[in-house]
Amino acid sequence: MSRPPFHADHVGSLLRPPELREARAKAKAGALGATQLRSIEDACIARAVKKQEEIGLQSITDGEFRRDFWHLDFLKQLDGIELVRPTGLTFDAEDVPPMASVTGKVGCSRPIMAEHFAFLKSVTGRTAKFTVPSPGTAHMRGGRNAISRTVYPDLEEFWADIGAAYRTAIRHLYEAGCRYLQLDDVGFSYLCDEKVRENFRRNGDDPATLGPAYAGAINEALRDRPKDLAVTMHTCRGNFRSTWFAAGGYQDEVVQAMFSANVDGFFMEYDSERAGGFEPLRKLPRGKNVVLGLVTTKSGILEKKEELKRRIEEATKYVPLENLRLSPQCGFSSTHHGNKLSEDEQWRKLERVVEVARDVWG
């Protein structure tokens, strides 16, 4: 199989090694220079790449080792976006991440993280995969209230601008050699939780309109994308220090909007009862792929091979086996804090994904 997503795949982020955490803390305190930090990051990424290759993964990421947060490090580099303290519903944890606020016209006046991808590509002979937050992430946390009504009295202008900004950012990544891009989007799964839908209403949004809006922004971002650029979307219910944000199975109307996004495959969280059943997968368009997130990254308990195979077989009631894939349900460290499992447990879970994929698909 040459085009992603692969039968054994993964979402992207990895637990930060102790030396990397220490180096980044020193750099923030002014005790370590940028050149020294980059050298340590490079070394840690190279080791993580080698480990992924040894396990047998075809898609190789940099573990998001140069980021503090899966989304904010990217979003804050777009023109017109700043980070502010969160409001409304949030994670039940300390040190909750800030959120994006749109204070000016959104654009992309310079490459974002293209040099990060270029280094990753230089240290692997396999498919280098890069992850970025989806366009809807700039809206999702704060809703309409986080988007300046002075700058954007008409929200349609915001969606057009952020779609165009992403199109530019994606072109920069493509020019750096990226051929496998993943858009991380929690918005669709959050829309399946009634508490979150009510929060959207308080923030000035009609939740019924958001699924189509998020998908529309993705399609605008991917308009005229090169044919050799594979793009997937990852969606989950939150991942911060092994906590979660939303619950509820994938609702038909939300899934229908999500599946209208012009991507090659959908990474979907299915590691717990919070995700509901596989029935909504019946709406998957022909020729698209679903990557079943059956392996949890929220604990170190290793899933049994036969149970994973049983659940894959169950999903074949709705999607042909040839269009199914396997992965963990999320990254192992969506933020620099990491989740409640060890590096050894992380690597064992990725090994388990590869083992099961070989058994199932050969």
Side-chain angles (χ1 to χ4, degrees), residues 253-268:
E253 66 177 68
V254 176
V255 163
Q256 192 160 329
M258 184 175 80
F259 285 163
S260 73
N262 185 27
V263 299
D264 299 294
F266 301 87
F267 283 74
M268 297 176 67

Side-chain angles (χ1 to χ4, degrees), residues 68-146:
D68 280 341
F69 300 99
W70 63 276
H71 54 329
L72 300 177
D73 295 70
F74 181 93
L75 290 175
K76 70 182 182 182
Q77 296 187 61
L78 289 169
D79 306 337
I81 294 183
E82 300 178 2
L83 302 185
V84 301
R85 291 180 61 83
T87 59
L89 287 176
T90 189
F91 287 91
D92 183 19
E94 298 176 0
D95 192 20
V96 172
M99 70 179 197
S101 179
V102 178
T103 59
K105 294 289 283 184
V106 177
C108 180
S109 57
R110 64 188 187 281
I112 301 176
M113 297 183 175
E115 74 281 8
H116 296 181
F117 177 81
F119 176 80
L120 171 65
K121 184 173 174 59
S122 75
V123 293
T124 183
R126 298 189 185 172
T127 302
K129 171 182 176 177
F130 205 66
T131 62
V132 299
S134 72
T137 308
H139 169 278
M140 185 267 307
R141 284 288 297 282
R144 185 64 177 97
N145 289 339

Side-chain angles (χ1 to χ4, degrees), residues 1-9 58 127 289 322 324-325 361:
M1 178 186 299
S2 59
R3 188 176 178 88
F6 299 103
H7 285 141
D9 217 314
Q58 296 302 309
T127 302
N289 300 305
E322 65 191 40
L324 292 175
R325 312 284 188 266
W361 290 282

Side-chain angles (χ1 to χ4, degrees), residues 181-229:
L181 181 71
Q182 178 178 292
L183 301 174
D184 291 321
D185 191 311
V186 297
F188 290 103
S189 51
Y190 280 22
L191 283 167
C192 298
D193 187 319
E194 185 52 43
K195 297 192 301 296
V196 177
R197 293 174 75 89
E198 182 56 35
N199 194 58
F200 275 125
R201 295 184 187 101
R202 287 196 296 268
N203 282 335
D205 293 286
D206 176 1
T209 67
L210 294 182
Y214 291 168
I218 289 171
N219 288 339
E220 186 63 20
L222 298 177
R223 182 161 53 86
D224 301 324
R225 66 164 160 144
K227 287 184 168 53
D228 61 343
L229 175 62

Side-chain angles (χ1 to χ4, degrees), residues 14-28:
L14 299 168
L15 295 170
R16 277 52 162 182
E19 68 180 281
L20 178 61
R21 294 200 304 269
E22 181 180 345
R24 290 183 65 83
K26 284 183 177 179
K28 288 178 184 178

